[in-house]
Amino acid sequence: MHDEPSSFVIKESWPVPGEGTFTSILKKRAETDPEHPFLVWDGGRLTIGELHEASNRMANALLALGLRKGDVVGLMLDQHAEHVITLYALAKIGLVRTSINVHSKGDYLSLLIGDAQPRAIIAETAYRELLETAMDKTPVEFAIWNETEQGSGTHRLQDLLRNGDPALPSELADPDDVLVINYTSGTTGAPKKFTRSDRVLQIGCIGCLLIGEMEPNDVLLFWEPLYHGAGSQTVLAACMEKVTLAMVPRFSASQFWDQARRTGTTKTHYIGGILPILLKQPARPDDKVHKVSVAWGAGCPADVLAEFEERFGCRVNEGYGLSEVANYVCINIGGPKGSVGRPLPWFMVRTIDGEGNDVPPGQAGEIIAKGKRPEFTSRSLNKQKTTTADGWIKTGDLGRFDENGYLFFEGRKSDSLRRRGENVSAWEVERIVVQHPAVEECALIGVPSGLGAGDDDLKIFLKLVPSASLEELELIKWCEDKMPYFQIPRYIGFIDEFPKTPTQRVKKAELSRSTSDCWDLEQSGYALRR
């Protein structure tokens, strides 16, 4: 077992997780440095003092509506300052946020709303029709829309921001109050559902500050969607250090470095296949002309890491984590290249064999992790076979420790899928596709995307109903109305019979990973709607 950190320097100026809350952290920042630019974007800026006051106004307005600590609030908002203010407003008064991917629709959206059971929804009017369809099945008491004109019988986000009391709310979250419900896609069943407390979110944020080597006056190129765990965590981490988030609408490989130069970016984050995608851009004479000193994230192969550092002239700090704990559990700062680092001070990490025994250094085993105290980790809201009797989380990933306690990621043991930074549940996709009248049975697997370890393209196998026929593009268009674009398979293959276990489970390991024996969406020329 490896539970001792390497020489991580946790600054005295950073909060000790649990000694305060995000409310007290933001309040202190607003009192000592109110004019510091917290968030900047094309045409605007939000200071730390303005963020504190605006989130107070909104928090008090939500309390005035009748919402109370512990109520669930679903967010389906785009990338803008009001979304950031909303995140802090909910955190201040202990409203439990569940962020909804803005590409959600159809059965997927209904399933999420039905499970989360939010008392309120805060969303863009662009998603109103989709949400109201979902809310027909799961009634929601308060719907708050981001709209410029007053609608009949509706609440407006702008009114909450304008009319709420600017004073600190009288009802505030405590360190171990739940602030977030996260869903992380299951591999063979329904999505896994976890809560995170204020304390756990703080631990995750300090992990970000450490792996990013954050210093006062750093500027972070902020491209991550705010509905994504990495995006919301970065926003919360930014109030713990005197940094500025330079927000752009979305990730753009062609504009990335120009955006970094224009905003004076000094640090940036990556997920999934971002670094390989940037490396595929045409080389430019000014590839090293920027201020970025560190890129931090996870899922970067060692050869890609070395090529990226050489071409763009910045360090890459790799880490390893999982939603079920507190995101990062290991980080690598100055350790051997290719390693995901050593455990952070709050966690224990082991590698075990099939019998649950620890494996020796140099030998691969399944990675399991655990907080040193129960309040240091997320709490599962559904029964998972991936948690041992004594609380260890079985990740389904393979890894090996070297003699110095550095962990090296060795691939997946489980059937989990990850596509361009988004977790994909095979079960979620399969349960929708099998509803097509021509499909009798289906199975989804991941195949190499060419973007490095930890990034998959999706291949689905279809067994059709006897005498039925189905064109591949017909299925794709059918899926577009029922699931977000990132769940739609790229490859489609047909099969007469699936290999099965004696208990009739599909033996996915025996399905072909080849991409030359099936239909390819990208080669079809069809552009998915988003």
Side-chain angles (χ1 to χ4, degrees):
M1 179 173 68
H2 298 271
D3 61 355
E4 293 303 320
S6 57
S7 54
F8 300 136
V9 179
I10 300 177
K11 299 181 183 178
E12 292 184 1
S13 60
W14 294 346
V16 176
E19 287 192 359
T21 62
F22 283 106
T23 300
S24 61
I25 295 166
L26 178 57
K27 180 175 181 290
K28 182 178 179 181
R29 285 287 318 280
E31 290 170 346
T32 57
D33 195 18
E35 298 304 315
H36 177 74
F38 177 84
L39 184 73
V40 298
W41 63 95
D42 188 15
R45 58 181 268 162
L46 180 73
T47 67
I48 199 81
E50 291 168 339
L51 172 62
H52 182 50
E53 179 178 323
S55 56
N56 281 347
R57 287 184 183 275
M58 186 171 181
N60 282 313
L62 291 169
L63 290 172
L65 284 178
L67 292 167
R68 289 295 180 266
K69 182 190 291 190
D71 287 341
V72 177
V73 178
L75 298 189
M76 196 170 178
L77 292 169
D78 292 332
Q79 202 83 344
H80 45 61
E82 290 79 9
H83 194 163
V84 172
I85 293 167
T86 302
L87 293 176
Y88 276 94
L90 300 183
K92 281 184 172 181
I93 55 177
L95 291 177
V96 183
R97 164 177 56 88
T98 185
S99 291
I100 303 171
N101 189 312
V102 297
H103 301 288
S104 301
K105 55 187 172 183
D107 292 354
Y108 177 86
L109 182 57
S110 296
L111 176 69
L112 181 60
I113 298 295
D115 190 81
Q117 295 284 312
R119 191 175 176 205
I121 288 284
I122 304 175
E124 308 290 341
T125 52
Y127 313 127
R128 184 167 182 167
E129 184 176 348
L130 291 168
L131 282 164
E132 287 182 339
T133 299
M135 289 189 288
D136 278 343
K137 301 175 183 177
T138 306
V140 174
E141 187 172 350
F142 301 103
I144 300 163
W145 305 106
N146 185 24
E147 60 185 0
T148 56
E149 297 182 6
Q150 180 71 55
S152 175
T154 66
H155 301 286
R156 296 196 314 147
L157 179 58
Q158 290 80 0
D159 292 339
L160 271 62
L161 291 167
R162 182 185 306 114
N163 300 330
D165 188 336
L168 194 69
S170 58
E171 302 177 33
L172 297 172
D174 294 318
D176 290 314
D177 283 340
V178 173
L179 296 189
V180 177
I181 291 176
N182 281 122
Y183 290 87
T184 182
S185 294
T187 59
T188 57
K192 292 176 285 184
K193 181 179 179 183
F194 296 87
T195 64
R196 288 184 179 176
S197 67
D198 193 303
R199 185 194 307 269
V200 170
L201 288 170
Q202 288 181 53
I203 289 173
C205 289
I206 291 179
C208 285
L209 297 179
L210 285 168
I211 193 171
E213 300 183 60
M214 299 301 176
E215 298 290 341
N217 300 314
D218 269 337
V219 177
L220 281 61
L221 184 61
F222 184 60
W223 57 266
E224 301 96 324
L226 282 161
Y227 59 75
H228 198 283
S232 59
Q233 181 165 269
T234 302
V235 164
L236 292 173
C239 79
M240 294 182 168
E241 180 58 273
K242 189 179 176 180
V243 300
T244 297
L245 301 177
M247 183 170 64
V248 295
R250 66 191 62 84
F251 171 75
S252 170
S254 62
Q255 298 181 52
F256 186 88
W257 290 109
D258 287 334
Q259 290 170 336
R261 281 183 277 270
R262 185 170 65 249
T263 57
T265 293
T266 58
K267 305 286 173 62
T268 191
H269 175 247
Y270 66 86
I271 53 177
I274 294 297
L275 300 192
I277 290 171
L278 290 173
L279 283 169
K280 289 185 178 181
Q281 292 296 301
R284 290 172 35 167
D286 61 353
D287 273 344
K288 292 184 179 179
V289 182
H290 55 75
K291 296 181 180 179
V292 179
S293 61
V294 174
W296 87 93
C300 180
D303 56 341
V304 172
L305 185 154
E307 183 182 356
F308 189 90
E309 290 186 333
E310 172 61 29
R311 176 171 166 181
F312 296 110
C314 64
R315 294 192 308 283
V316 176
N317 289 344
E318 182 83 348
Y320 174 82
L322 55 157
S323 300
E324 296 92 323
V325 181
N327 281 351
Y328 289 114
V329 294
C330 293
I331 63 173
N332 184 3
I333 302 174
K337 296 298 183 183
S339 168
V340 295
R342 285 179 164 180
L344 286 164
W346 305 279
F347 306 115
M348 300 176 285
V349 180
R350 299 163 55 199
T351 50
I352 60 172
D353 60 22
E355 303 301 319
N357 302 311
D358 290 285
V359 298
Q363 182 176 324
E366 182 177 4
I367 302 169
I368 61 174
K370 181 181 180 181
K372 290 184 178 178
R373 288 165 36 189
E375 64 268 31
F376 287 172
T377 59
S378 307
R379 186 171 66 88
S380 174
L381 291 182
N382 47 10
K383 294 180 180 179
Q384 300 296 329
K385 296 180 181 178
T386 54
T387 304
T388 66
D390 52 353
W392 288 88
I393 303 295
K394 300 177 72 175
T395 67
D397 293 329
L398 298 174
R400 61 176 173 84
F401 281 101
D402 69 9
E403 296 80 2
N404 298 313
Y406 282 93
L407 180 65
F408 290 76
F409 180 76
E410 296 286 336
R412 289 194 176 97
K413 174 184 177 182
S414 67
D415 184 38
S416 58
L417 306 174
R418 191 164 176 83
R419 186 183 195 186
R420 315 302 188 268
E422 298 286 356
N423 290 328
V424 176
S425 163
W427 178 84
E428 291 175 13
V429 176
E430 290 162 356
R431 67 176 289 276
I432 294 174
V433 171
V434 80
Q435 294 175 27
H436 191 286
V439 177
E440 179 178 300
E441 196 173 5
C442 62
L444 187 77
I445 63 171
V447 296
S449 67
L451 297 177
D455 192 85
D456 305 297
D457 272 327
L458 308 182
K459 180 178 181 180
I460 195 161
F461 290 84
L462 307 175
K463 179 186 177 185
L464 298 184
V465 172
S467 302
S469 62
L470 179 63
E471 294 291 330
E472 292 91 343
L473 191 54
E474 176 189 344
L475 177 68
I476 296 297
K477 293 179 179 179
W478 184 87
C479 287
E480 280 189 294
D481 293 326
K482 295 173 173 60
M483 63 180 74
Y485 75 94
F486 58 82
Q487 287 188 330
I488 295 177
R490 173 179 174 179
Y491 301 104
I492 298 177
F494 294 91
I495 195 167
D496 293 327
E497 293 291 341
F498 282 105
K500 300 277 187 76
T501 67
T503 56
Q504 294 303 295
R505 297 175 72 92
V506 175
K507 298 164 73 173
K508 291 188 176 182
E510 296 184 12
L511 297 177
S512 169
R513 261 62 182 174
S514 172
T515 58
S516 61
D517 61 354
C518 55
W519 182 84
D520 183 354
L521 173 59
E522 288 194 4
Q523 292 185 4
S524 75
Y526 182 76
L528 290 174
R529 301 195 309 268
R530 296 197 179 191

